[in-house]
């Protein structure tokens, strides 16, 4: 993986918008982690994004396997501004996921409703760590066991899911959220019997690439409070038409 694999979508005095490729970690796991990450590779040209944190000024992390847009502050002032925006629910992230039907494996509570095509549904839960090495997470709801509820955090997370179309056993989903938990989208979709294709951890249909893209981000700018949005592709474009996603 080299800098040529990373696309700088926009560069301002306050932030960078970049497209992270699949199979690259967003940030290191600790100060002593010297593996290549999106942050470490960008820091060669933009050292100011490191700040004094091992996660630098990265404002939202994508899983290593997930491709898409990442917002990174270039100074402490914008970083603090965006932390406040995120807390107030004004920093919105949008994802496209291509899924196939499969009933969830062990550890999930009963799913509370049926998803309907072309109708937004809010999947809401807290989360708990699950499985060997705590590599997975499971949603926790009011129907979860007392044991599961004791193991979960108190915060609830919402994934707003829109089923766009289904064809040949594959369903295209549009997901938006204002705050995120590790593996939130992946676990919520698996809970809804729609694990993402290529998701080995959450039992998605086998494929070498995780079919999950962070395709749009929106926030209010620091300078004039105007609404800013960045999107990887035009409305109506098939996000998974690239050959890397073919069977």
């Amino acid at each position: 993986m080299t800098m040529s694999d990373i696309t700088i979508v926009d560069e301002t005095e306050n932030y960078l918008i970049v497209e992270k490729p699949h199979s690259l970690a967003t940030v290191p796991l600790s100060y002593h982690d010297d593996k290549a990450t999106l942050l470490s590779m960008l820091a060669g040209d933009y050292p100011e994004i490191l700040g004094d944190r091992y996660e630098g000024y990265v404002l939202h992390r994508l899983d290593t396997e997930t491709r898409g847009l990442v917002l990174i502050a270039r100074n402490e002032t914008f970083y603090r501004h965006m932390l406040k925006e995120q807390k107030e629910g004004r920093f919105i992230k949008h994802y496209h996921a291509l899924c196939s039907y499969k009933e969830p494996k062990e550890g999930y509570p009963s799913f509370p409703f049926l998803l309907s095509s072309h109708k937004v549904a809010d999947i809401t839960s807290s989360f708990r760590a699950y499985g060997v090495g705590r590599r997975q997470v499971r949603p926790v709801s009011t129907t979860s066991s007392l044991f599961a509820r004791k193991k979960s955090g108190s915060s609830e997370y919402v994934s707003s899911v829109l089923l766009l179309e289904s064809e040949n056993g594959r369903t295209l989903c549009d997901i938006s959220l204002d705050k995120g938990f590790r593996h939130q989208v992946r676990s919520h979709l698996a809970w809804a019997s729609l694990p993402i294709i290529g998701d080995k951890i959450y039992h998605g249909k086998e494929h070498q690439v995780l079919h999950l893209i962070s395709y749009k981000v929106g926030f209010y700018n620091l300078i004039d409070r105007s609404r800013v949005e960045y999107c990887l592709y035009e409305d109506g474009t098939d996000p998974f038409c690239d050959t890397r996603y073919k069977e």
Side-chain angles (χ1 to χ4, degrees), residues 26-27 39 49 55-61 70-73 79:
T26 307
V27 297
L39 178 65
I49 67 175
E55 294 184 346
Y57 286 141
V58 174
L59 286 157
H60 62 121
R61 288 175 293 175
V70 178
L71 174 63
I72 307 173
Y79 181 76

Side-chain angles (χ1 to χ4, degrees), residues 159-203:
S159 299
S160 297
V161 178
L162 176 64
L163 306 187
L164 295 173
E165 57 186 59
S166 295
E167 186 177 0
N168 299 324
R170 308 197 309 175
T171 299
L172 178 61
C173 302
D174 189 308
I175 309 99
S176 62
L177 47 92
D178 59 11
K179 64 175 181 176
F181 193 85
R182 179 174 67 95
H183 293 183
Q184 175 179 330
V185 172
R186 297 164 67 178
S187 185
H188 270 169
L189 288 175
W191 185 25
S193 300
L194 287 171
I196 301 169
I197 293 171
D199 196 337
K200 301 177 179 66
I201 296 179
Y202 294 97
H203 310 289

Side-chain angles (χ1 to χ4, degrees), residues 43-55:
D45 292 331
Y46 305 95
E48 70 277 8
I49 67 175
L50 291 173
D52 58 358
R53 306 168 181 83
Y54 72 86
E55 294 184 346

Side-chain angles (χ1 to χ4, degrees), residues 40-90:
S40 67
M41 294 173 72
L42 287 168
D45 292 331
Y46 305 95
E48 70 277 8
I49 67 175
L50 291 173
D52 58 358
R53 306 168 181 83
Y54 72 86
E55 294 184 346
Y57 286 141
V58 174
L59 286 157
H60 62 121
R61 288 175 293 175
L62 299 183
D63 294 335
T64 298
E65 299 89 350
T66 303
R67 166 190 159 211
L69 296 176
V70 178
L71 174 63
I72 307 173
R74 299 184 71 181
N75 54 63
E76 183 77 18
T77 301
F78 186 79
Y79 181 76
R80 292 293 176 187
H81 162 72
M82 286 306 304
L83 291 183
K84 182 179 179 181
E85 291 294 288
Q86 185 141 264
K87 184 177 180 180
E88 297 296 327
R90 293 191 289 261

Side-chain angles (χ1 to χ4, degrees), residues 87-195:
K87 184 177 180 180
E88 297 296 327
R90 293 191 289 261
F91 178 25
I92 310 299
K93 284 78 69 177
H94 299 259
Y95 296 79
H96 273 140
L98 194 62
C99 308
S100 59
Y101 177 81
K102 188 175 186 179
E103 292 187 3
K105 295 282 187 175
E106 67 285 341
Y108 292 90
S110 58
F111 194 69
F113 53 83
L114 292 175
L115 294 177
S116 301
S117 296
H118 303 289
K119 184 177 180 181
V120 176
D122 289 341
I123 302 177
T124 305
S125 76
S126 55
F127 286 98
R128 65 185 176 108
Y130 186 86
V132 177
R134 299 164 64 88
R135 292 181 64 231
Q136 302 180 38
V137 299
R138 289 291 187 269
V140 176
S141 71
T142 55
T143 63
S144 295
S145 67
L146 179 61
F147 171 81
R149 280 180 277 146
K150 286 183 176 179
K151 292 292 184 180
S152 73
S154 58
S155 297
E156 288 194 326
Y157 297 85
V158 180
S159 299
S160 297
V161 178
L162 176 64
L163 306 187
L164 295 173
E165 57 186 59
S166 295
E167 186 177 0
N168 299 324
R170 308 197 309 175
T171 299
L172 178 61
C173 302
D174 189 308
I175 309 99
S176 62
L177 47 92
D178 59 11
K179 64 175 181 176
F181 193 85
R182 179 174 67 95
H183 293 183
Q184 175 179 330
V185 172
R186 297 164 67 178
S187 185
H188 270 169
L189 288 175
W191 185 25
S193 300
L194 287 171

